[in-house]
């Protein structure tokens, strides 16, 4: 009996040793990747010095390096609080080998719109990263964002953040390794993990926020408007009913994880869970009943007033007026970046997008040169 125990003990020690070695090797690999992904040189540009005159929370960083070294969300002073006042955005490009070191203009516009329309809330732009650090090039758009006292730009380490959540084992054992869409799937999972840990609101980085999100209440998602789908681009979970619901979603997500499908782990998963919770697969009924186990499904008119079918009209001046009429009741407007990112526009255009940008992300709009 003793002998068996002893063998068992040695076995455990050996396993622990092998796991440590593997961990060190993986960490070293990421360390190398992170060094490789930072480009020193191009940012030493004196024209940026002017930015130091802007009111910013990070004046020293701006002066010293022209790079913003993101702090880990687990270690920041201004921690998210469990009181419904957090709005999270996720940038998951940093799970890739060679991610960009700046924030896209249209993303910056979304972040500003949320901060501006919700000054009573704390905005966390979370770079989920497989690298040791995330450094962002200081530019005028970034400074425009940081001029909002409620904006926090932070990083979350893929593995160590997940380790403290119900998805820890899944992520640490390489659950995402075979993902065909690592950026999308990381984002699908981490929005739930952030909301499980901190509660509050998650939004996609292509949402323009027009007004306070308070009117939407707590514990909600919104109908997508097509194919009976409830989208996961705008979610809220509170510390009571919400946390239980999001914990179930995380377990379902891991159990049913599909590495080769784009939307199965996000909107499809959420929709299937809501069909169970609401006892119906009819979106209109879900919206009408207004309470599925403490959760609420809002109409698309409030969150996604422009159907993705009409995405091209967002950048076509002929449709500005018509689209404007569609958003009268909308709290947010989804700009379908996955479909529209390739369509160029400039500040002087008068399409639906630029008209909204002028109104809802004025500082970022002012800070861009021309191409948007
Ligand atoms: C600095 O950047 C600005 C704007 O991007 C550019 O016009 C200028 O030539 C750059 N200056 C130097 C010294 O590289
Ligand atoms: C700095 O930039 C701001 C905004 O772009 C501009 O109004 C101001 O004149 C600039 N200051 C200097 C000293 O160049
Ligand atoms: C919705 O539910 C009904 C009744 O349970 C079923 O007949 C129908 O096929 C379902 N529709 C979809 C799109 O799942
Ligand atoms: C904009 O819409 C009008 C009216 O439908 C159409 O004729 C035109 O080709 C569109 N422009 C672009 C650039 O797609």
């Amino acid at each position: 009996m003793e002998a068996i125990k002893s063998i068992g003990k040695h076995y455990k020690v050996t396993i622990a040793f092998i796991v440590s070695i593997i961990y060190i090797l993986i960490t070293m690999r990421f360390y190398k990747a992170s060094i490789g992904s930072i480009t020193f040189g191009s940012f030493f540009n004196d024209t940026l010095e002017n930015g130091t005159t802007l009111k910013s929370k990070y004046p020293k960083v701006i002066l010293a390096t022209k790079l913003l070294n993101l702090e880990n969300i687990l270690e920041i002073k201004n921690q998210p609080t469990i009181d419904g006042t957090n709005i999270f955005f996720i940038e998951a490009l940093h799970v890739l080998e060679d991610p960009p070191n700046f924030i896209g203009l249209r993303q910056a516009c979304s972040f500003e719109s949320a901060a501006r329309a919700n000054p009573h809330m704390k905005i966390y732009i979370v770079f989920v990263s497989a690298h040791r650090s995330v450094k962002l090039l200081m530019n005028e758009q970034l400074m425009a964002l940081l001029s909002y006292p409620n904006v926090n730009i932070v990083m979350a380490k893929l593995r160590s953040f997940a380790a403290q959540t119900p998805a820890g084992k899944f992520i640490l054992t390489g659950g995402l390794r075979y993902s065909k869409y690592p950026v999308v799937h990381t984002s699908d999972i981490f929005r739930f993990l952030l909301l499980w840990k901190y509660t509050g609101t998650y939004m996609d980085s292509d949402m323009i926020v027009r007004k306070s999100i308070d009117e939407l209440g707590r514990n909600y998602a919104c109908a997508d408007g097509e194919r009976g789908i409830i989208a996961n681009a705008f979610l809220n979970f509170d510390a009571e009913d919400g946390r239980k619901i999001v914990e179930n979603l995380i377990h379902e997500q891991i159990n049913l994880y599909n590495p080769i499908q784009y939307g199965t782990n996000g909107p499809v998963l959420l929709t299937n869970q809501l069909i169970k919770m609401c006892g119906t697969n009819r979106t209109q009924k879900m919206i009408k009943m207004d309470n599925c186990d403490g959760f609420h499904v809002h109409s698309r008119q409030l969150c996604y007033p422009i159907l993705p079918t009409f995405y091209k009209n967002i950048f076509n001046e002929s449709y500005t007026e018509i689209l404007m009429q569609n958003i009268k009741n909308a709290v947010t407007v989804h700009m379908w970046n996955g479909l529209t990112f390739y369509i160029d526009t400039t500040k002087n255009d008068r399409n639906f997008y630029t008209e909204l940008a002028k109104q809802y992300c004025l500082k970022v709009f002012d800070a861009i040169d021309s191409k948007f």
Side-chain angles (χ1 to χ4, degrees):
M1 203 53 199
E2 277 306 307
I4 291 171
K5 263 192 198 155
S6 158
I7 289 169
K9 212 170 150 196
H10 278 120
Y11 182 67
K12 274 186 201 153
V13 170
T14 313
I15 293 282
F17 179 72
I18 292 171
V19 168
S20 317
I21 294 292
I22 291 172
Y23 181 72
I24 288 166
L25 288 175
I26 289 171
T27 316
M28 278 170 66
R29 203 178 140 252
F30 285 148
Y31 180 70
K32 265 166 83 180
S34 78
I35 294 292
S37 66
I38 300 161
T39 41
F40 294 95
S42 56
F43 53 87
F44 287 105
N45 183 332
D46 284 339
T47 58
L48 290 176
E49 287 292 346
N50 188 12
T52 58
T53 60
L54 283 174
K55 207 168 143 261
S56 164
K57 280 188 300 175
Y58 302 94
K60 287 204 183 101
V61 179
I62 295 166
L63 268 174
T65 63
K66 314 269 171 52
L67 276 179
L68 184 64
N69 191 9
L70 300 190
E71 288 181 272
N72 189 328
I73 189 166
L74 297 176
E75 293 158 12
I76 53 173
K77 233 190 257 156
N78 188 20
Q79 281 288 310
T81 43
I82 319 278
D83 58 2
T85 60
N86 311 310
I87 300 179
F88 295 100
F89 290 96
I90 290 178
E91 176 57 85
L93 281 169
H94 288 246
V95 298
L96 303 176
E97 276 289 313
D98 201 14
N101 60 356
F102 54 87
I103 290 177
L105 296 176
R106 293 185 193 170
Q107 283 78 5
C109 181
S110 288
F111 304 151
E112 178 182 354
S113 72
R116 181 186 165 280
N118 294 273
H120 58 308
M121 299 223 171
K122 299 193 290 291
I123 315 298
Y124 293 92
I125 300 156
V126 183
F127 282 68
V128 177
S129 177
H131 304 277
R132 247 171 56 114
S133 64
V134 177
K135 291 178 200 282
L136 294 182
L137 190 57
M138 260 302 165
N139 57 25
E140 286 174 39
Q141 296 83 42
L142 190 51
M143 284 186 265
L145 273 182
L146 290 172
S147 71
Y148 285 84
N150 59 337
V151 167
N152 302 276
I153 310 181
V154 295
M155 64 111 77
K157 290 191 183 176
L158 181 74
R159 297 163 59 86
S160 57
F161 187 88
Q164 303 185 8
T165 71
K169 202 171 139 209
F170 175 75
I171 299 287
L172 292 171
T173 55
L176 284 171
R177 189 178 304 144
Y178 301 109
S179 174
K180 209 174 151 195
Y181 306 97
V183 175
V184 174
H185 291 171
T186 303
S187 178
D188 280 340
I189 291 174
F190 266 72
R191 70 192 65 181
F192 288 153
L193 300 187
L194 284 164
L195 293 176
W196 175 84
K197 189 168 170 66
Y198 301 117
T199 74
T201 307
Y202 164 84
M203 266 184 228
D204 271 5
S205 303
D206 56 350
M207 299 279 276
I208 290 197
V209 184
R210 297 180 63 232
K211 45 187 173 175
S212 164
I213 61 170
D214 287 344
E215 74 174 71
L216 298 176
R218 320 168 127 211
N219 295 325
Y220 58 81
C222 304
D224 177 282
E226 287 189 323
R227 301 158 284 134
I229 288 286
I230 313 301
N232 66 341
F234 188 9
L235 301 165
N236 178 286
F237 297 101
D238 72 10
E240 286 127 48
D241 292 334
R243 198 177 242 157
K244 280 175 233 147
I245 296 165
V246 78
E247 185 155 333
N248 278 337
L249 283 163
I250 294 168
H251 288 304
E252 288 282 296
Q253 202 173 34
I254 291 165
N255 291 340
L256 303 173
Y257 178 66
N258 182 332
I260 59 167
Q261 295 275 322
Y262 184 91
T264 309
N265 313 299
V268 174
L269 175 100
L270 179 66
T271 306
N272 286 336
Q273 194 70 4
L274 282 170
I275 290 172
K276 283 188 230 160
M277 286 162 58
C278 305
T280 176
N281 62 9
R282 290 182 42 228
T283 311
Q284 285 315 313
K285 219 170 155 191
M286 288 181 189
I287 296 169
K288 261 218 187 97
M289 62 198 280
D290 192 38
N291 197 339
C292 308
D293 286 351
F295 199 79
H296 311 276
V297 177
H298 289 307
S299 73
R300 74 168 182 86
Q301 281 80 7
L302 288 176
C303 315
Y304 316 120
I306 311 301
L307 286 169
T309 319
F310 302 121
Y311 73 91
K312 279 190 183 153
N313 299 352
I314 292 173
F315 292 94
N316 185 326
E317 295 184 359
S318 320
Y319 291 93
T320 309
E321 294 273 309
I322 296 167
L323 295 184
M324 283 293 180
Q325 282 161 25
N326 283 330
I327 64 167
K328 287 220 171 80
N329 299 319
V331 175
T332 57
V333 183
H334 201 187
M335 293 300 189
W336 307 109
N337 194 47
L339 301 166
T340 56
F341 70 92
Y342 71 91
I343 306 176
D344 285 337
T345 188
T346 70
K347 273 174 94 159
N348 297 329
D349 293 341
R350 300 185 61 86
N351 58 47
F352 179 64
Y353 190 91
T354 54
E355 290 303 301
L356 287 197
K358 260 177 245 175
Q359 236 177 308
Y360 301 111
C361 64
L362 191 64
K363 289 190 187 183
V364 166
F365 190 81
D366 277 347
I368 63 179
D369 294 332
S370 162
K371 228 175 119 185
F372 205 164

